Amino acid sequence: MRIVLVGATGDIGQAARKELEQRHEIITVGRSGGDYQVDVGDLNAVKSLYAAVGDFEAVVSCAGDATFAPLAEMDQETFMVGLRQKVMGQVNLVLAGLDVIADGGSFTLTSGVLDRDPIRMGANAATANGALAGFVKSAAIEMPRSQRVNVVSPGMLDVSASRYGAWFQGHKPVLSHHVGLAYAKCVEGALTGKVVIVD
């Protein structure tokens, strides 16, 4: 398969790539690096990305920012970061791809642990994660041409613990290899409309 991997340089993206590149051609996409660059928050930019890539069978998104701050310090603009980038950015990858991905193609998005196991300052990310879960469950029943859509929801990765562990007190880090396998399950398997939890 030709797989468009968005957010390929992050910890989660690297875990997905390490597993999938053993068997497939990976086209890497980032905000400033990779084979192609795109702002996923811009639907027209995503359409242009797909036009430039050409034929592909799967999209894996490991992209999307959120604001980590105390709830009392949030305003509409800071809260919109997660909704605009993590939610709509990944939704845009699906909306723009429906007409151009191969028959039977798949979209695999990324959420995270915080909507089911919250931390302080994580309300924005938790809201985004919950929205993505709702999106894939509902979108799956309307996908054309036997397409599939799922979302991987990993805990904090082992390779991320040195940077983020202080925020995730008491959370057990998950193995990057296990996270990679979750993306393989979504891309190479038959699931659709599922939240694939890795914890």
Side-chain angles (χ1 to χ4, degrees):
M1 281 184 233
R2 295 187 82 227
I3 301 173
V4 179
L5 175 56
V6 183
T9 61
D11 290 346
I12 296 174
Q14 290 181 62
R17 180 178 182 176
K18 185 174 182 180
E19 179 61 32
L20 292 167
E21 70 182 359
Q22 300 176 58
R23 297 174 296 281
H24 307 289
E25 178 186 353
I26 307 297
I27 297 109
T28 59
V29 180
R31 212 173 350 209
S32 57
D35 300 321
Y36 297 91
Q37 293 79 49
V38 71
D39 173 7
V40 294
D42 181 343
L43 181 61
N44 288 325
V46 176
K47 290 178 179 178
S48 297
L49 165 70
Y50 288 151
V53 166
D55 295 339
F56 60 96
E57 287 73 37
V59 175
V60 172
S61 173
C62 304
D65 295 334
T67 299
F68 286 84
L71 185 64
E73 296 178 10
M74 292 278 224
D75 58 23
Q76 180 171 302
E77 188 53 37
T78 54
F79 209 87
M80 280 300 296
V81 171
L83 303 183
R84 186 181 301 115
Q85 291 295 318
K86 189 164 190 178
V87 180
M88 278 314 303
Q90 297 193 85
V91 170
N92 283 343
L93 290 167
V94 177
L95 296 178
L98 291 174
D99 292 337
V100 295
I101 198 170
D103 290 355
S106 69
F107 299 88
T108 305
L109 312 182
T110 300
S111 59
V113 69
L114 296 182
D115 59 324
R116 63 183 189 274
D117 195 357
I119 63 170
R120 290 184 180 92
M121 302 195 297
N124 188 225
T127 302
N129 293 347
L132 289 164
F135 172 73
V136 300
K137 289 175 185 177
S138 182
I141 67 173
E142 297 188 66
M143 298 294 281
R145 299 185 291 115
S146 301
Q147 294 168 19
R148 299 179 299 106
V149 61
N150 297 287
V151 61
V152 174
S153 178
M156 179 187 61
L157 273 65
D158 49 1
V159 295
S160 307
S162 62
R163 296 192 304 279
Y164 304 120
W167 291 8
F168 288 80
Q169 294 294 346
H171 284 237
K172 180 182 177 182
V174 299
L175 297 177
S176 297
H177 175 62
H178 291 174
V179 174
L181 291 175
Y183 288 96
K185 175 189 283 190
C186 292
V187 172
E188 299 171 326
L191 295 177
T192 192
K194 300 299 183 184
V195 178
V196 179
I197 294 172
V198 186
D199 58 20

